[in-house]
Amino acid sequence: GQNIDQPTEMTATEGAIVQINCTYQTSGFNGLFWYQQHAGEAPTFLSYNVLDGLEEKGRFSSFLSRSKGYSYLLLKELQMKDSASYLCAVSYSGAGSYQLTFGKGTKLSVIP
Amino acid sequence: GAGVSQTPSNKVTEKGKYVELRCDPISGHTALYWYRQSLGQGPEFLIYFQGTGAADDSGLPNDRFFAVRPEGSVSTLKIQRTERGDSAVYLCASSYQGPKLAHAQFFGPGTRLTVL
């Protein structure tokens, strides 16, 4: 299988910084995506990494290390509206379709 | 611009019935995906269309599931003889499709299917 592992739940304080980790199997790796999903809503695209390093987009940044099969999503200046599930998803080549394999998601709770 | 739309938003049916779920992708996106998401899980891939053809249907759980995209735009996911285990949120996503690299997939709001 192509397990995508991420913590089930995290809690952080409003205004703080939180890092959500994701590990994946490296064979056939073709790109990694982070999505945000609020309860009862569809996933929304946050970031995409295909090369090693950090991609910054406003308060959100995503890091990738292909050799380690590791990524993290960094959320800065947390706001209450950031409470959601964060999904790590990997595209594997050879599948013929660039389908995404998702982790189970990390439920982030932001508290005052 | 308009995003991915899906209808109906909710569907309640009885075990053994037939259902159709519709997806209207973002205009210009040639790639279309169907996923299924159960509570507490990430989305699971079902089927992928590139244009009109189902290029990868390896995620369909069995032959009760079928999908079409006859004109390369709107897609319909069809489930025959529904079972209680089919209850889930069915998500549709679309993207550009380049030659080598994966592209971001944009999801619709989903159809919540409940089989009684």
Side-chain angles (χ1 to χ4, degrees):
Chain A
Q2 294 161 323
N3 291 336
I4 313 293
D5 292 319
Q6 50 182 131
T8 304
E9 294 185 27
M10 298 183 72
T11 301
T13 305
E14 190 176 15
I17 299 173
V18 70
Q19 177 174 314
I20 303 174
N21 296 324
C22 172
T23 58
Y24 62 90
Q25 294 188 7
T26 59
S27 178
F29 174 83
N30 196 43
L32 186 142
F33 298 82
W34 284 96
Y35 284 84
Q36 180 191 61
Q37 187 173 30
H38 285 99
E41 297 183 10
T44 55
F45 169 72
L46 289 178
S47 68
Y48 168 53
N49 295 74
V50 67
L51 299 176
D52 291 349
L54 189 68
E55 293 284 339
E56 297 187 79
K57 189 186 293 186
R59 294 190 298 116
F60 294 1
S61 303
S62 57
F63 172 82
L64 178 68
S65 170
R66 288 173 296 170
S67 63
K68 296 182 179 178
Y70 168 70
S71 173
Y72 67 73
L73 180 68
L74 193 71
L75 291 75
K76 303 176 184 176
E77 301 169 14
L78 280 172
Q79 302 176 10
M80 299 300 290
K81 68 178 182 179
D82 297 330
S83 293
S85 283
Y86 291 85
L87 298 163
C88 176
V90 176
S91 175
Y92 288 98
S93 63
S97 69
Y98 302 108
Q99 58 173 277
L100 295 178
T101 301
F102 283 85
K104 293 185 177 182
T106 299
K107 183 178 180 181
L108 174 66
S109 298
V110 180
I111 57 176
Chain B
V4 178
S5 62
Q6 292 185 246
T7 55
S9 56
N10 281 283
K11 177 68 176 179
V12 180
T13 191
E14 294 180 342
K15 180 176 178 294
K17 298 291 188 181
Y18 168 83
V19 296
E20 290 190 352
L21 312 179
R22 175 189 166 108
C23 171
D24 200 339
I26 293 172
S27 177
H29 281 185
T30 57
L32 185 147
Y33 300 79
W34 285 97
Y35 292 84
R36 178 168 71 173
Q37 187 173 26
S38 300
L39 193 63
Q41 304 292 316
E44 293 180 308
F45 169 75
L46 295 176
I47 188 169
Y48 156 70
F49 288 89
Q50 178 59 266
T52 60
D56 182 358
D57 64 357
S58 62
L60 294 178
N62 51 60
D63 62 5
R64 294 187 298 105
F65 289 75
F66 188 71
V68 296
R69 193 186 186 198
E71 297 179 357
S73 179
V74 171
S75 176
T76 304
L77 179 65
K78 308 180 181 190
I79 310 174
Q80 298 177 322
R81 304 184 303 281
T82 52
E83 299 177 357
R84 292 192 179 88
D86 298 336
S87 297
V89 176
Y90 288 80
L91 294 165
C92 176
S94 70
S95 75
Y96 290 109
Q97 190 61 65
K100 292 184 179 179
L101 295 180
H103 291 263
Q105 296 178 23
F106 296 91
F107 285 82
T111 293
R112 182 175 298 277
L113 176 65
T114 303
V115 182
L116 302 176

